[in-house]
Amino acid sequence: MSDEKKLRVGIGYDIHPFVPGRRLIIGGIEIDHPLGLEGVSDADVVIHALIDAILGATALGDIGKFFPPDDPSYKNISSIELLKRVAGIIKDKGFKVLNADIILITEAPKMTEHSEKIRNKLSEILGISIEEIGFKAKTSEGIGPPGKGICAEAFAVVLVEKEVPSL
C-alpha cells in the first residue's frame, strides 16, 4: 500500500487601514514608516492573507474562525505567532504547504528593499525553501483606497499537499 498525494489550492485576502501610533509589520518584518496598520493583532495583511489561503486550501475555515477578533487574547498578538499556530494545525491534519505566492498592494512604503527579508521570514515559518515563496509589491496607480494611501491589502495563493493512504 503506497501513499498518494492530494494537491489543493487556496486563496486569501486581507485589507487594513493605515493609522498613526502603530508599528508597521508586513510579512513578519517591522518596516520604518510613520503609519502602522489598524487591527486587533499587529494587522499584518500579508500574513493574514496567507493564513486565509492556507485555511482555504485545507477547507478549515478562515482566520476569524481560529482567531476571533472579539477575543481579547489576540489583542496586539504577532501574526507570526498566528501563522505558526496555523502551520501546526494543518500539519496535525496531514497537510504541508508546498508554495505560496503573495501580492501586497500599497502606495507606501516602497517594498523593494524588504522583499527578500519577507520571503526569508515566511519560508522559515512554513518550513519550505525561499524559492517556494513568491512576493510582489504593487501600487494601485492612485486608484481606490490603496492608491490614496489609506490602506494596504494583500492577496495570497497557496498549494498544499496531503498524503492520502491508498486502498
Side-chain angles (χ1 to χ4, degrees):
M1 192 184 292
S2 66
D3 287 339
E4 184 179 313
K5 300 195 187 290
K6 184 173 185 178
L7 301 177
R8 295 166 74 168
V9 175
I11 186 168
Y13 170 79
D14 197 38
I15 186 169
H16 287 279
F18 281 109
V19 293
R22 284 189 54 118
R23 298 179 310 139
L24 179 60
I25 311 293
I26 295 179
I29 304 297
E30 184 168 353
I31 296 171
D32 185 30
H33 192 63
L35 301 173
L37 293 170
E38 182 177 45
V40 174
S41 67
D42 62 12
D44 186 331
V45 293
V46 165
I47 290 183
H48 292 187
L50 183 57
I51 288 171
D52 265 353
I54 293 167
L55 292 172
T58 56
L60 294 174
D62 65 18
I63 193 171
K65 176 181 173 183
F66 287 87
F67 313 111
D70 58 350
D71 184 334
S73 68
Y74 299 116
K75 179 119 175 92
N76 295 321
I77 193 169
S78 167
S79 295
I80 290 172
E81 177 59 30
L82 301 180
L83 182 57
K84 287 178 180 178
R85 291 181 190 183
V86 167
I89 290 166
I90 69 161
K91 181 179 180 183
D92 290 346
K93 296 198 176 287
F95 289 98
K96 177 185 178 187
V97 174
L98 296 181
N99 79 316
D101 191 25
I102 302 155
I103 298 173
L104 171 70
I105 305 166
T106 188
E107 296 300 306
K110 297 300 179 198
M111 297 299 297
T112 305
E113 69 183 81
H114 306 292
S115 294
E116 290 307 300
K117 289 184 264 183
I118 290 170
R119 290 178 65 223
N120 273 314
K121 177 61 78 176
L122 297 178
S123 72
E124 173 189 313
I125 296 165
L126 295 174
I128 60 177
S129 167
I130 189 171
E131 286 80 24
E132 304 305 329
I133 304 285
F135 177 79
K136 299 161 299 286
K138 305 285 184 182
T139 71
S140 60
E141 304 295 334
I143 301 167
K148 306 299 181 206
I150 63 172
C151 69
E153 64 183 334
F155 294 86
V157 176
V158 299
L159 179 65
V160 300
E161 173 183 74
K162 182 173 186 172
E163 296 222 3
V164 180
S166 299
L167 297 177

